[in-house]
């Protein structure tokens, strides 16, 4: 799976709170097929998905969804697609029983202001120390900050849901007791620590409504 860049539209395959896969939607690709076939740009190896189930085209600044004559149909927000359907941020595409893809518009993945590229991050797992541009973060990150950083940098560019953050950071605690405010406060504190060395770059990108991802760009 390709690493995600900021300000690009995404398709996210979710089952409950688990993000199973995600794909970048390239404006310049012309058209992209969604289906069971391995050669599809969005390949979903599930038996009730047709080999070429649906098609996406970038038209007049929007991604437009077409049904390619699929056996089980294509639905957006519960309505069957019978003619080309322009997608909006947050649209839920159903391809079969329990199989949903969430469309995230490019504006929803934009980082907070700041344009300089972040470089030189090194996580020393044996010592649980973090270095940025060759300088060690001192004092060291708290255990929760370190666990969050380790999660986000495990697969840079992957969007991690809030539930995945809870499982990684609060694994030994009662997960239902962790509020969104607690997660946001932890993200904010980690951003502040990283800003000590790279004040004009936002390493942690909030993907509105879905979670967080790490960005070196």
């Amino acid at each position: 799976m390709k690493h995600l860049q900021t300000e690009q539209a995404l398709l996210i395959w979710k089952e409950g709170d688990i993000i199973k896969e995600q794909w970048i939607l390239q404006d310049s690709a012309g058209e992209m097929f969604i289906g069971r076939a391995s050669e599809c740009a969005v390949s979903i190896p599930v038996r009730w998905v047709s080999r070429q189930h649906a098609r996406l085209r970038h038209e007049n600044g929007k991604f437009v969804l077409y049904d390619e004559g699929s056996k089980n149909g294509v639905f957006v927000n519960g309505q069957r697609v019978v003619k080309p359907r322009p997608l909006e941020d947050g649209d839920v595409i159903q391809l079969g029983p329990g199989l949903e893809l969430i469309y995230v518009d490019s504006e929803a993945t934009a980082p907070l202001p700041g344009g300089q590229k972040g470089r030189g991050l090194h996580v020393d797992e044996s010592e649980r120390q973090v270095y940025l541009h060759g300088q060690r973060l001192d004092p060291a990150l708290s255990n929760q900050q370190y666990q969050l950083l380790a999660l986000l940098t495990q697969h840079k560019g992957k969007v991690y849901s809030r539930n995945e953050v809870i499982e990684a950071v609060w694994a030994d605690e009662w997960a239902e007791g962790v509020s969104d405010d607690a997660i946001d406060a932890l993200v904010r504190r980690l951003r502040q620590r990283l800003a000590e060395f790279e004040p004009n770059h936002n390493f942690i990108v909030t993907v509105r409504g879905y979670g967080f991802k790490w960005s070196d760009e």
Side-chain angles (χ1 to χ4, degrees):
M1 180 175 59
K2 295 181 180 179
H3 286 175
L4 307 182
Q5 305 297 322
T6 58
E7 300 186 43
Q8 289 181 297
L10 314 175
L11 274 184
I12 298 177
W13 178 12
K14 291 184 69 177
E15 282 190 359
D17 291 317
I18 303 300
I19 296 174
K20 297 194 65 173
E21 184 61 282
Q22 51 197 329
W23 298 269
I24 298 170
L25 302 182
Q26 301 283 1
D27 296 2
S28 59
E31 61 183 21
M32 291 160 284
F33 287 94
I34 303 171
R36 191 176 70 250
S38 59
E39 60 267 22
C40 289
V42 179
S43 179
I44 304 174
V46 176
R47 60 184 177 84
W48 54 74
V49 174
S50 300
R51 286 186 58 80
Q52 288 189 340
H53 198 107
R55 175 167 51 101
L56 281 170
R57 286 181 57 88
H58 194 254
E59 303 173 2
N60 301 318
K62 285 184 174 293
F63 282 98
V64 181
L65 182 67
Y66 296 76
D67 187 345
E68 287 295 290
S70 61
K71 180 179 179 180
N72 292 316
V74 180
F75 298 80
V76 175
N77 303 331
Q79 297 183 340
R80 185 154 191 165
V81 174
V82 294
K83 61 181 181 179
R85 170 70 181 259
L87 295 176
E88 302 291 342
D89 180 49
D91 279 348
V92 178
I93 303 168
Q94 295 99 10
L95 303 180
L99 200 161
E100 296 182 346
L101 304 177
I102 300 171
Y103 172 73
V104 183
D105 190 71
S106 58
E107 293 184 358
T109 63
L112 297 174
Q116 294 188 12
K117 293 187 176 182
R119 298 181 300 277
L121 177 78
H122 173 66
V123 179
D124 188 326
E125 295 182 1
S126 62
E127 297 183 1
R128 296 175 67 86
Q129 296 289 345
V130 178
Y131 297 83
L132 197 58
H133 305 315
Q135 300 182 63
R136 188 178 68 183
L137 268 65
D138 188 19
L141 296 179
S142 69
N143 181 60
Q144 290 182 343
Q145 291 168 358
Y146 179 86
Q147 294 295 346
L148 176 59
L149 179 70
L151 174 70
L152 296 178
T153 56
Q154 183 176 5
H155 297 289
K156 294 180 181 180
K158 176 181 176 181
V159 180
Y160 288 90
S161 69
R162 288 176 176 267
N163 272 13
E164 288 175 302
V165 170
I166 291 172
E167 290 175 3
V169 176
W170 287 276
D172 299 327
E173 301 181 31
W174 187 42
E176 293 184 4
V178 180
S179 66
D180 284 347
D181 287 344
I183 297 171
D184 291 337
L186 175 61
V187 170
R188 183 169 59 252
R189 290 195 299 270
L190 181 54
R191 281 183 175 137
Q192 290 171 346
R193 292 302 315 277
L194 297 171
E196 294 172 13
F197 293 95
E198 189 70 70
N200 296 317
H201 179 75
N202 296 286
F203 289 95
I204 304 173
V205 177
T206 299
V207 180
R208 194 170 58 238
Y210 306 106
F212 308 93
K213 69 175 183 176
W214 183 268
S215 175
D216 282 332
E217 296 298 319

